Amino acid sequence: MDTPETPDTLRAPDTLETRELRYFAAVAEELHFGRAAERLGIAQPPLSRAVQRLERRLGVRLLERNRRGVALTAAGETLLHEGRAALAATTAAARRTRRAGGADGAGGSAGAPNRLVLAVKAAASHELLHKLLDAYAAEPDAAEVEVLPSGTCEQGEMLRDGRADVALMHTPFNSLAGFDSEELTSEGQIAVLPAAHPLAARTSLTLADVADIPGLPLARWTREDPGPGPEIHDQTQLAQLIALGRTAAVFPDSARAWLWAEHTAVPLGDAPQVVTHIVWPAHSRSPALARLVRTATAL
């Protein structure tokens, strides 16, 4: 059942509510009022009215409606982009507030205040991560740290929506835009190949050598990654597919720590250096996070 609406006359044109952003984002992403209403769990008529009221109050058309369906206007594209960021920020605020007060109890001890969630790329920075966790645990009043493995480019989104408080991210693969960060380490890159593959006997390779290996396509971490290689969901899956001779992968040199006997790591002589950063939201005021950053930069 739809909840009562605040009259438009009582709202400023430059003020948006979380609910109307959710409603608009659903329509903008589905480009169909019926599917958006089903996704939101509401009836279609109140959803249509809510979007129309939002357009009237903002004084712009957000959607073009015709017999072929729904399309976003330039203003609608802007609101979708800004609205996603705003919704992520409100979700992050709720998650971090609950975590700071020990109300979420997810992973680690229920009710433990000042718990930090550290997002890390699966299969990277093993040695650095061990050193950081050990050094921080020895600090007085150290917060509990939950390590949250992620895909190749998921850490930024986890910071934005509050699933993580801090992350280890790697340039040039990850964008640090919008975050504060400190550089920690720099290292080369390796190709991880099946041990029985002819290229595994080489002392070094180039990026061109591994870009198009017949019968051994590079693994993909998301559907958007180009190429015919298998889409990878976790480190164990990747390790098994490499061992079976079904795929290859490119990683920072520190990934040698998780290799199996069926794998071989070959240095990539022309690959750019991978720089590991500790990264956090620019607006953070968490003393526990500040201590973790200081510990990381002192390693």
Side-chain angles (χ1 to χ4, degrees), residues 28-47:
E29 289 168 356
E30 298 290 345
L31 293 178
H32 191 281
F33 276 91
R35 289 194 298 268
E38 183 177 358
R39 169 174 148 184
L40 292 165
I42 64 173
Q44 182 174 334
L47 174 60

Side-chain angles (χ1 to χ4, degrees), residues 42-119:
I42 64 173
Q44 182 174 334
L47 174 60
S48 298
R49 291 195 298 269
V51 173
Q52 290 169 356
R53 279 193 295 269
L54 179 59
E55 289 179 315
R56 286 197 303 269
R57 186 155 50 81
L58 293 176
V60 296
R61 184 177 292 279
L62 301 171
L63 301 167
E64 294 290 351
R65 306 161 177 83
N66 54 48
R67 292 180 180 177
R68 290 176 295 180
V70 177
L72 286 170
T73 64
E77 292 276 6
T78 298
L79 184 58
L80 178 59
H81 175 75
E82 298 287 346
R84 282 170 170 163
L87 290 170
T90 58
T91 300
R95 284 172 170 164
R96 292 197 176 103
T97 298
R98 288 175 55 79
R99 195 149 58 235
D104 64 348
S109 303
N114 295 323
R115 182 170 60 88
L116 294 173
V117 177
L118 170 62

Side-chain angles (χ1 to χ4, degrees), residues 199-246:
L199 288 180
R202 300 269 292 272
T203 57
S204 68
L205 294 167
T206 67
L207 289 170
D209 289 332
V210 299
D212 189 20
I213 304 174
L216 197 67
L218 287 174
R220 297 180 299 120
W221 284 98
T222 70
R223 292 179 182 176
E224 287 73 31
D225 288 344
E231 184 181 347
I232 302 302
H233 301 285
D234 57 57
Q235 179 183 333
T236 301
Q237 177 197 19
L238 175 61
Q240 185 170 36
L241 288 175
I242 294 175
L244 291 172
R246 300 299 179 89

